[in-house]
Amino acid sequence: MFQSICALILAAGKGTRMHSRKPKVLHTILGEPLLGHVAAALRPLFGENVWAVIGHEAQMVRDTFAEHSLRFVEQTEQLGTGHALMVALPELRAAGMKRVLVVNGDTPLITTESMEQFLHEAEGAALSVATLQLAEPGAYGRIVRRDGNLAAIVEAKDFDEVQHGMPTGEINAGIYALDLDVAERLLPRLNNKNKSGEYYITDLVGLAVEDGLPVRGVCCGDDPNLLGINNPVELARSEELRRAAIVESCLASGVVIHAPDSVRIGPDVVVEPGAELYGPCELYGKTHIAAGALVESNCRIEDSRIGAWTIVHSFSCLDHAEVGEDCLVGPFARLRPGAVMENGSHVGNFVEMKKARLGEGAKANHLTYLGDAEIGARTNIGAGTITCNYDGVHKSKTTIGEHAFIGSNTSLVAPVTIGREAVVGAGSVITKEVPEGMLSVARGKQKNFPRRS
Ligand code: UD1
Ligand code: CA
């Protein structure tokens, strides 16, 4: 880890070109916000010393990262990237930092390795900039060199061929390394006399050159992973790039993937070699899929664990669920937060679980809702069983012992307990305890009348 060097992510902008209420850095790639990708790449190099400048919808950004150790500085008015650095400077100083790596928050595909490499190449220069050589420089800031040396960065809008020479295709990636002393000296000299009326961080280059300070343009080739995202087209392109890379590395590690082009796996997901996936499917968050597990097509699995030899059949949605070994899930199952399936349990089509535990070998195979429930091992839940856990005000719990049998179309009105080895007759509405080993039938008696003609 680097001493006295910190990272600063510029993330206060609105992202006008995304046409969205959400700030740009909260748009996602493979289920993770752009800012999360950037922070994750920087964390191994800077530990706690990662700051983000936020502003537009700052509270929304804070809430999204409440559980991260990101440090925030607020830029209440977004007057430009140079102004963002100005606002952050006193904080970084107060924390005893001497040098900073500044990264645009809309550059989510940077990696720990690429940043480490850049920092090494930037060593010894007062100010360094990562540059890219593009066939089509688009709206990116243009690098101007004199005698091969970095001389200035000119924004596309402000670029003038007569004044700045023919464009070379070398652009500013929006990644900078600089000494805080240098920043402190140059920032007061920034102005906003440009086409955008903003204080540009990029103008620091020209100012540093003016002062005879050593500046360096570190060319990173045409690495598409260093490109900033400004609109939905670029977001889709970057997401596809990351998606393909993750799937590729899963395949290489020994995961069997059918239709890999349609499989989406988040950066923090672990799929063990020997697991098998069918596309299209989406695996996000902190999901873990054990070796031997099989996930069929059209499933969406988020922050969930799937044990060995479990099969998740098509069209199942899992969110914060825990599924043991040798389980069967779906097709068309919905496991919501707090759903726990112990080893060998089955959940079939159109079954929904929420904050509910299904014991070892227990089965709920058809059309059932299990909410706030504890179900013992080897118990069978008949088709159409509903735990009535909500009375309009409170949520209540249903407890069912081991090896019980709940007949089809039963309503279990919580709070209620069904003892072990009890049997409930089909169509019952159970409002009171059914003691261990008892047979309970709670429904209107059938009466047969002679038919009138
Ligand atoms: C910027 C660079 C450009 C470079 C490109 C690379 C400037 C002036 N231009 O242009 O040379 O080629 O990135 O992708 O820096 N932000 C703030 N506060 C502000 C304004 C912006 O925090 O007041 C943040 C934004 O949230 C964004 C980042 O800074 O994450 C860059 O801003 P953006 O408006 O996207 O700059 P570009 O026009 O892409
Ligand atoms: Ca940008």
Side-chain angles (χ1 to χ4, degrees), residues 246-298:
I246 292 176
V247 166
E248 202 59 44
S249 86
C250 285
L251 285 167
S253 78
V255 180
V256 176
I257 307 183
H258 305 269
D261 290 350
S262 58
V263 171
R264 316 173 72 72
I265 301 175
D268 298 330
V269 172
V270 176
V271 188
E272 291 182 2
E276 188 169 358
L277 311 175
Y278 279 81
C281 72
E282 297 173 88
L283 311 178
Y284 293 143
K286 303 256 184 289
T287 290
H288 185 113
I289 313 276
L294 167 65
V295 177
E296 290 183 355
S297 63
N298 294 292

Side-chain angles (χ1 to χ4, degrees), residues 9-17 23-25 52-56 75 77-85 102-107 129-130 132 137 139-143 153-158 171-176 194 196 198-203 226-230 234:
I9 308 170
L10 306 186
K14 185 171 175 201
T16 313
R17 290 161 282 185
K24 179 165 64 181
V25 292
V53 183
I54 56 172
H56 178 69
Q75 183 195 20
E77 263 187 302
Q78 288 83 59
L79 303 180
T81 48
H83 180 254
L85 177 58
V102 180
V103 180
N104 283 352
D106 59 2
T107 312
V129 180
L132 293 169
Y140 296 108
R142 271 90 163 124
I143 298 293
I153 303 174
V154 183
E155 290 309 296
K157 280 184 194 169
D158 304 301
I171 63 105
N172 166 27
I175 297 161
Y176 320 84
N194 50 55
S196 309
E198 290 184 359
Y199 296 89
Y200 293 159
I201 195 171
T202 48
D203 284 349
L226 298 186
L227 285 177
I229 292 176
N230 298 300
E234 290 165 358

Side-chain angles (χ1 to χ4, degrees), residues 285-339:
K286 303 256 184 289
T287 290
H288 185 113
I289 313 276
L294 167 65
V295 177
E296 290 183 355
S297 63
N298 294 292
C299 290
R300 188 183 197 284
I301 304 180
E302 193 173 341
D303 291 311
S304 298
R305 295 187 71 85
I306 310 291
W309 312 114
T310 282
I311 300 176
V312 182
H313 288 295
S314 290
F315 295 99
S316 295
C317 292
L318 286 73
D319 179 11
H320 287 86
E322 211 175 297
V323 183
E325 300 179 1
D326 282 306
C327 294
L328 294 179
V329 181
F332 297 99
R334 179 165 184 217
L335 303 186
R336 292 169 52 202

Side-chain angles (χ1 to χ4, degrees), residues 354 369 371-372 387-396 412-414:
K354 184 221 72 170
Y369 173 60
D372 304 298
T387 53
C388 310
N389 59 329
Y390 186 51
D391 61 8
V393 184
H394 300 108
K395 297 272 169 72
S396 303
L412 302 167
V413 183

